[in-house]
Amino acid sequence: MKGHPCSLPPLAHAAQNDYLAERFRKAYEFLSRDDLAALPLGRVDIDGDDVFANVQEYETVPAPDKRMEAHRRYYDVQFVVSGEELIQYAPLEGMIEIGSFDEDSDFGVYGTPPGCSSIVLRAGQIAVFAPEDGHKPGCSFGAAKHVRKIVVKVRV
């Protein structure tokens, strides 16, 4: 796996997020496989419901066409296999929830706050989002691009 992991927690949250814990090591090991481009779309089990991957492909869209998302039970380790996308992110605290949080799928949708930050994630790079992070993946950086991405879900 080339590139550098990106994790930007507030200092107050840094100590509670052990990104080198055994579950994260399983995620990083999985993402180091040589066959990521050939994996079928959908869920791939790594360690039951504690660590699993979602293999996705999509076209990026303009950021205003997307909503922020967040999770309560899982970290997202987002890895781009091919393509590139812009991901906006901000602290979840203070974001306006749109609709009800879906406990079964561990998924909530939020309004994009003013002044959120952005990163561009390119092939071979990862970004790690904790439950206190709202994030908006799948956004275009320039022209729309086809992205193949694997999101490894790591239980809190």
Side-chain angles (χ1 to χ4, degrees):
M1 178 171 53
K2 58 187 173 180
H4 302 283
C6 176
S7 171
L8 305 164
L11 185 57
H13 295 271
Q16 72 190 34
N17 296 320
D18 183 0
Y19 296 118
L20 297 177
E22 179 64 24
R23 288 181 181 153
F24 282 100
R25 288 197 304 273
K26 288 178 182 181
Y28 305 143
E29 182 179 316
F30 176 83
L31 293 172
S32 297
R33 293 170 46 159
D34 292 332
D35 66 343
L36 297 179
L39 289 174
L41 300 180
R43 180 175 166 143
V44 177
D45 285 329
I46 300 169
D47 186 14
D49 287 335
D50 286 339
V51 184
F52 61 92
N54 289 320
V55 181
Q56 309 168 353
E57 288 192 15
Y58 51 82
E59 300 296 319
T60 60
V61 298
D65 293 352
K66 306 227 9 135
R67 302 262 191 210
M68 287 284 198
E69 64 183 62
H71 318 286
R72 294 179 182 163
R73 293 189 318 266
Y74 289 93
Y75 293 86
D76 270 5
V77 180
Q78 300 198 12
F79 178 77
V80 173
V81 177
S82 61
E84 70 177 15
E85 68 180 358
L86 181 126
I87 301 177
Q88 293 183 331
Y89 64 94
L92 184 59
E93 186 176 335
M95 278 191 202
I96 298 170
E97 190 169 8
I98 299 171
S100 298
F101 190 90
D102 185 332
E103 294 291 343
D104 291 337
S105 64
D106 190 41
F107 187 84
V109 179
Y110 300 82
T112 303
C116 62
S117 299
S118 299
I119 57 171
V120 176
L121 205 60
R122 294 182 171 91
Q125 296 178 323
I126 66 172
V128 180
F129 297 100
E132 64 267 12
D133 301 324
H135 52 286
K136 186 194 297 188
C139 302
S140 300
F141 180 67
K145 302 258 186 339
H146 184 80
V147 173
R148 180 175 180 86
K149 183 163 81 175
I150 297 175
V151 179
V152 179
K153 307 295 278 185
V154 177
R155 187 185 298 273
V156 170

